[in-house]
Amino acid sequence: LAKRYVRRSCVCGIGVCNEPSMSIPAKLLAKYYERAVQTVRQAGMRAGEVAVLLPIFSEIRTSEFMDIWEASYPRYEDCVFDFHLRQSFGTYWSMKTLERHMEAAAARATLLKSIPMCCVGEWSLALPSRAIVGCDKQELRGIYERFARLQLEAFETATHGWFFWSWKSSAGLPWSLRDLLRKRVLAVPSHGRL
């Protein structure tokens, strides 16, 4: 892939995989990442022109990866840790109250500031049904507006920005950036990267 697109000036980043399994040991995944970075660079995609995205995927694995990478990370120029920070899947998120979801969204700024180079490769406004049960349309709109604002404030601290889940999605409003912008539920910060 790197060889195929090396001459394309529109390519500014390349991901080496998507959402690796939590069952893969971090040391093994880190070795794969090291080889992937070398492969991308040897294909002619230079640091400063093309960032290499290395998925940590879930914030649960952050310390595990940072312990491994801190020793050798500086030699890998323009490598970016990719986080997928959704709060809608799994028991951990489904058990949280709405207020705990809001607190978690705001707290992610601390996480992102602690990583040398990072991006939020996927996020949405989707919340587990337990957190929004009983809300009418007006209440739900207010919840989404607040959730969007808190997440964007946090995600703007990522060195390489953020990417919403999808421009257009039939999965519903919280998954469709186009619809959220059209309905003015989500507003990109004035200094934002959209």
Side-chain angles (χ1 to χ4, degrees):
L1 205 62
K3 285 180 183 177
R4 181 178 181 181
Y5 292 102
V6 68
R7 303 275 179 252
R8 303 284 179 96
S9 61
C10 60
V11 176
C12 60
I14 187 167
V16 299
C17 67
N18 184 47
E19 298 186 357
S21 171
M22 296 287 287
S23 66
I24 300 172
K27 284 185 180 183
L28 182 62
L29 204 50
K31 286 191 184 304
Y32 167 76
Y33 289 170
E34 287 185 46
R35 289 192 311 272
V37 170
Q38 290 168 355
T39 299
V40 168
R41 297 302 181 224
Q42 287 170 356
M45 290 188 160
R46 296 187 302 240
E49 294 176 3
V50 178
V52 181
L53 278 66
L54 310 172
I56 291 181
F57 171 40
S58 172
E59 63 213 280
I60 296 167
R61 296 188 85 175
T62 303
S63 62
E64 187 180 10
F65 269 96
M66 294 319 296
D67 289 347
I68 294 167
W69 277 84
E70 278 184 339
S72 60
Y73 188 79
R75 72 176 184 217
Y76 295 105
E77 188 181 351
D78 212 4
C79 291
V80 179
F81 290 108
D82 178 17
F83 290 90
H84 294 188
L85 300 178
R86 298 179 301 262
Q87 291 182 212
S88 53
F89 302 122
T91 306
Y92 177 80
W93 293 111
S94 67
M95 299 306 293
K96 288 191 177 297
T97 64
L98 179 59
E99 199 51 41
R100 293 290 178 249
H101 276 281
M102 299 298 173
E103 291 169 3
R108 286 183 162 152
T110 303
L111 165 72
L112 297 170
K113 287 177 187 175
S114 74
I115 307 300
M117 294 178 81
C118 63
C119 74
V120 178
E122 290 183 18
W123 68 283
S124 77
L125 296 187
L127 289 161
S129 57
R130 180 179 186 263
I132 54 176
V133 68
C135 295
D136 64 29
K137 280 187 174 183
Q138 191 63 28
E139 290 171 316
L140 202 51
R141 180 185 174 91
I143 289 166
Y144 287 149
E145 287 173 351
R146 181 176 173 217
F147 194 40
R149 183 180 44 77
L150 290 170
Q151 288 189 92
L152 282 171
E153 286 172 4
F155 299 165
E156 284 293 305
T157 66
T159 60
H160 283 65
W162 51 263
F163 302 88
F164 195 83
W165 168 260
S166 177
W167 173 247
K168 178 181 170 185
S169 175
S170 60
L173 183 65
W175 296 99
S176 176
L177 181 59
R178 181 195 68 173
D179 295 343
L180 290 164
L181 290 169
R182 279 184 179 169
K183 294 181 183 215
R184 299 177 191 251
V185 172
L186 183 149
V188 177
S190 59
H191 58 283
R193 298 178 174 103
L194 183 67

